[in-house]
Amino acid sequence: MNFLQRRFSANAESAAPTRSPLGLSPGCALCTHLAAEIEISGEPGSQRLKYRGPGGSNGSGDRISAERVDAIRAAFTPPYEPVKIKAAGFYDEAGFCSACSKFYCSTHWNISSTGGGTCPAGHFKSLDPHWSPE
């Protein structure tokens, strides 16, 4: 393989969505970015979750229960089901639009200064854990 073929094939490989070690990070339906980054680390009984999604992140991570680990794994293993994604407990549902049944990254969510967002098809959802419609 010549230099240009190696360079272009490497660029094509790097354009694919990066996945977490457990493959839990969903990709955006419209581009090569991740809709959310979900990383579970540690030993059973003392696992940590690092999360970054359209609505924000949890910084350096939080300890989570074995039940939450199971819920997250169930939610982010295809086929994706809205009920399981909601049960995983992410306030922004990791960029999932229930109406479209697709994940979108923060670039494709039109996020307002108040924390609400619309997906590319115009469906609204709160991406802010402190937002309330009342």
Side-chain angles (χ1 to χ4, degrees), residues 22 24 40 42 47 66-78 88:
L22 296 175
L24 299 174
I40 297 173
Q47 292 178 301
E67 293 81 15
R68 177 115 192 256
V69 170
D70 291 342
I72 291 169
R73 285 187 177 140
F76 297 100
T77 301

Side-chain angles (χ1 to χ4, degrees), residues 56-67:
S57 75
N58 69 344
S60 60
D62 300 311
R63 288 186 186 261
I64 59 171
S65 68
E67 293 81 15

Side-chain angles (χ1 to χ4, degrees), residues 2-130:
N2 70 37
F3 171 76
L4 289 176
Q5 286 176 319
R6 281 194 309 269
R7 182 173 171 89
F8 286 114
S9 67
N11 286 345
E13 288 172 14
S14 67
T18 307
R19 300 286 179 192
S20 69
L22 296 175
L24 299 174
S25 298
C28 179
L30 297 178
C31 70
T32 60
H33 293 106
L34 294 176
E37 294 177 44
I38 302 167
E39 181 182 322
I40 297 173
S41 62
E43 300 297 318
S46 67
Q47 292 178 301
R48 296 185 69 76
L49 167 69
K50 282 182 71 176
Y51 177 77
R52 189 174 78 191
S57 75
N58 69 344
S60 60
D62 300 311
R63 288 186 186 261
I64 59 171
S65 68
E67 293 81 15
R68 177 115 192 256
V69 170
D70 291 342
I72 291 169
R73 285 187 177 140
F76 297 100
T77 301
Y80 301 115
E81 298 174 26
V83 171
K84 289 182 180 180
I85 292 169
K86 187 171 277 308
F90 296 112
Y91 54 85
D92 62 3
E93 296 179 341
F96 186 74
C97 175
S98 297
C100 292
S101 293
K102 294 179 183 178
F103 289 96
Y104 299 108
C105 67
S106 57
T107 299
H108 289 104
W109 275 103
N110 182 16
I111 303 171
S112 74
S113 62
T114 61
T118 54
C119 77
H123 303 118
F124 177 83
K125 79 180 302 162
S126 172
L127 299 170
D128 180 345
H130 306 293

